[in-house]
Amino acid sequence: MTKSDTHLVEHRNNRSDTAVVFIHGFNGDASSGTWGDFPDYVRNNPALANWDIYSLGYATKLSIDLVGLWEACPDISKLACFLHTCCTNPPLDRYKSLALVAHSMGGLVVQRALVDYDDLARVVSHVFLFGTPSGGLAKASLFKMLNRQVRDMVRNGPFVKDLRYRWVLRFGDAAGKTLPFKFWAVAGDRDEFVPAGSSLEPFRKHFSQASVCVVPGNHLDIIKPLSSNHLSAQLLFKGLQGTAGISGPWTGAAVAVESREFVNAIELFEPHQEELDTDAATLLALALESVGRSKDAMALLEKYKGSSTDAMGVLAGRLKRRWLVERRAADALRARELYAEAYKIAEQAGDHAQAFYHGINIAFMDLAYSSTRTEAKANASRMAAKVLLHCKSAKPEKWRFATEAEALLMQGESAAALGRYKAYIEECPSPRELESTYMQAKKVADLMGLRCVKDQLDSLFLGIG
């Protein structure tokens, strides 16, 4: 570990696109004194190799502020400005995505910075608050006259009340608001310094997408895990990795970068969504879907589906995914109807790319929704044969390769299918595209009864095995 300057400790700098920044709490520091081996556990996790790692320090001490004499600890508002300054200047300003991992008062610094500075909120992909007194501390009122930072942590004090109001206003569920980053509030099961009522309750009511968690340990144990198997470390690992694979192009870091792009698309397009062209509307719908606003995404696509087979396909895809989770028959029927309508339009227009895209989804719905396995496989195989003909007439690119792979799976040609999936992956699709293709491939293999292929798909897409 080397110190890059007096306030930033560098644990790993491989000039990646993403970085994890550890931010200590009251009376802490950026060295291992606060975080112990936590940064090393992140550094040694192969699934997180694409994340650079830093610890950020700031002025804080357990002493009386001598206001007006020489120096005093900055209040939390000023520390939020300091955090923003650090993140918008070298070396942190070059990262496309930042994950902020904060302890205790450091979590208040993070929250204040995110409501004060929109440009910071746009680059932050993950927020982890360990033992943060988000609702304030009753015991802090006894010492509020002695230290500015302690004063800001007083329960029902001006700073905490303002922060809670502004967080609901900026990120709350009301009026369709949503957290633009993945968010975890974490309490220790034996934390007597910051009770769960302060660290967790502020996020239960107004933030349905927030993850509220309890891990073993007191206020300090939770950020000084004794091994990488501690629940604090495992929670951070899983949060950063998400649904990403262990290696290859589908990494948690790549997903984080893409998530920032989706948030930016929402801010750019949503204010004038009635004026968008079809491509922009489709991108906005995908972005809304990515942050959990599925109803808004489908409502938008319903407006545009009549003018674009691509929009019809995206809407059908949303319905298909909802059906796979909720199993409502109306969703499956409507999805297939949309795919069939778009396929007919594409065929008549001689648009082979759109035809194979909608055709393979018709085949998938027939395979997944038919009442009997024999009938399902027969219908899917017939449609897959038509799809492969359209693929031959289309230019070679990633979606043609993925579609050929899926059609070949439906015809029982496993080896040929895996070869086409390999060609697809070599075209460097986005994390969202990889996840979608992988999940559908696994589902098709399962429906076709190709158990050995499922393991081979894991190896191909995730680097497992």
Side-chain angles (χ1 to χ4, degrees):
M1 182 192 303
T2 60
K3 287 191 176 183
S4 58
D5 56 35
T6 57
H7 70 274
L8 198 64
V9 175
E10 180 183 294
H11 302 276
R12 178 169 65 204
N13 182 359
N14 291 335
R15 302 195 66 80
S16 299
D17 287 333
T18 54
V20 180
V21 182
F22 289 89
I23 302 164
H24 64 77
F26 180 72
N27 205 40
D29 59 67
S31 72
S32 60
T34 290
W35 292 100
D37 295 326
F38 212 153
D40 288 336
Y41 296 147
V42 176
R43 184 174 57 185
N44 294 330
N45 188 322
L48 304 178
N50 288 338
W51 292 87
D52 288 349
I53 309 165
Y54 298 87
S55 292
L56 180 67
Y58 55 84
T60 177
K61 57 184 177 180
L62 185 60
S63 62
I64 299 174
D65 285 345
L66 302 177
V67 179
L69 293 180
W70 185 252
E71 68 175 31
C73 289
D75 61 23
I76 296 178
S77 299
K78 189 175 290 185
L79 290 176
C81 183
F82 171 71
L83 173 60
H84 173 259
T85 303
C86 291
C87 291
T88 54
N89 285 279
L92 298 181
D93 65 330
R94 67 178 180 79
Y95 290 100
K96 296 179 180 179
S97 173
L98 294 173
L100 303 182
V101 183
H103 178 234
S104 195
M105 187 185 77
L108 295 177
V109 175
V110 167
Q111 292 177 72
R112 179 58 185 260
L114 289 170
V115 295
D116 278 354
Y117 302 102
D118 289 342
D119 57 338
L120 181 62
R122 282 193 291 269
V123 79
V124 170
S125 59
H126 300 72
V127 174
F128 297 84
L129 305 183
F130 286 89
T132 291
S134 296
L137 296 174
K139 64 189 74 174
S141 62
L142 301 174
F143 307 98
K144 64 182 180 180
M145 301 303 295
L146 304 180
N147 186 288
R148 294 176 176 181
Q149 294 172 359
V150 173
R151 178 198 65 200
D152 285 344
M153 288 188 282
V154 171
R155 188 176 66 188
N156 295 323
F159 177 86
V160 169
K161 289 174 70 174
D162 176 69
L163 181 61
R164 296 278 56 87
Y165 171 77
R166 292 175 65 197
W167 254 73
V168 172
L169 193 67
R170 177 75 171 83
F171 304 123
D173 293 338
K177 298 293 181 65
T178 185
L179 288 165
F181 34 73
K182 302 294 184 182
F183 181 89
W184 290 260
V186 187
D189 65 349
R190 292 180 285 112
D191 189 344
E192 294 295 329
F193 184 72
V194 179
S198 181
S199 59
L200 304 183
E201 290 307 318
F203 305 106
R204 291 188 190 275
K205 183 176 180 181
H206 300 290
F207 307 93
S208 58
Q209 292 180 304
S211 296
V212 178
C213 313
V214 176
V215 299
N218 61 32
H219 191 61
L220 297 180
D221 292 340
I222 60 176
I223 49 119
K224 288 185 179 179
L226 297 180
S227 80
S228 61
N229 293 322
H230 189 279
L231 193 55
S232 288
Q234 290 297 314
L235 186 150
L236 181 61
F237 297 165
K238 183 178 179 180
L240 292 176
Q241 188 179 345
T243 56
I246 288 177
S247 62
W250 184 14
T251 65
V255 171
V257 170
E258 186 181 56
S259 73
R260 296 303 82 213
E261 294 171 352
F262 278 144
V263 169
N264 292 340
I266 293 172
E267 292 187 355
L268 178 64
F269 294 137
E270 190 172 24
H272 55 276
Q273 59 179 283
E274 301 295 334
E275 305 167 16
L276 299 177
D277 60 32
T278 302
D279 289 342
T282 302
L283 176 59
L284 175 58
L286 291 172
L288 291 169
E289 179 79 16
S290 77
V291 298
R293 295 174 57 185
S294 299
K295 291 182 179 179
D296 292 337
M298 286 200 285
L300 176 65
L301 288 166
E302 281 285 3
K303 297 176 184 177
Y304 284 85
K305 68 178 176 60
S307 60
S308 167
T309 56
D310 192 42
M312 292 168 69
V314 174
L315 175 59
R318 305 282 77 74
L319 291 165
K320 177 182 71 175
R321 287 174 177 78
R322 191 169 72 180
W323 168 68
L324 289 170
V325 173
E326 300 179 10
R327 310 304 291 184
R328 289 187 283 185
D331 284 343
L333 293 171
R334 179 59 175 150
R336 194 194 184 287
E337 179 182 84
L338 283 167
Y339 284 132
E341 184 180 350
Y343 176 76
K344 182 179 179 180
I345 294 171
E347 259 204 329
Q348 291 174 345
D351 188 339
H352 296 291
Q354 281 289 301
F356 73 61
Y357 164 65
H358 296 292
I360 196 63
N361 279 292
I362 293 171
F364 176 83
M365 294 306 298
D366 287 344
L367 181 63
Y369 189 65
S370 294
S371 57
T372 66
R373 285 294 90 214
T374 302
E375 179 187 6
K377 290 180 180 180
N379 290 339
S381 180
R382 280 193 293 271
M383 192 69 216
K386 296 179 181 179
V387 166
L388 288 170
L389 290 175
H390 285 294
C391 286
K392 287 182 179 179
S393 299
K395 67 178 182 180
E397 46 83 36
K398 63 183 177 184
W399 291 121
R400 171 183 158 177
F401 300 150
T403 302
E404 287 173 329
E406 193 169 321
L408 288 166
L409 273 185
M410 293 177 182
Q411 294 194 324
E413 301 288 341
S414 301
L418 291 167
R420 301 318 278 164
Y421 279 127
K422 184 174 185 296
Y424 164 74
I425 293 170
E426 289 172 351
E427 291 294 311
C428 300
S430 73
R432 180 188 61 81
E433 292 167 346
L434 274 167
E435 179 182 20
S436 175
T437 304
Y438 167 66
M439 297 304 292
Q440 185 142 320
K442 290 272 285 186
K443 185 68 175 177
V444 170
D446 182 56
L447 291 168
M448 293 293 296
L450 304 172
R451 294 184 180 179
C452 62
V453 174
K454 292 173 68 176
D455 292 336
Q456 290 172 296
L457 288 169
D458 287 340
S459 178
L460 191 62
F461 279 86
L462 306 181
I464 299 174

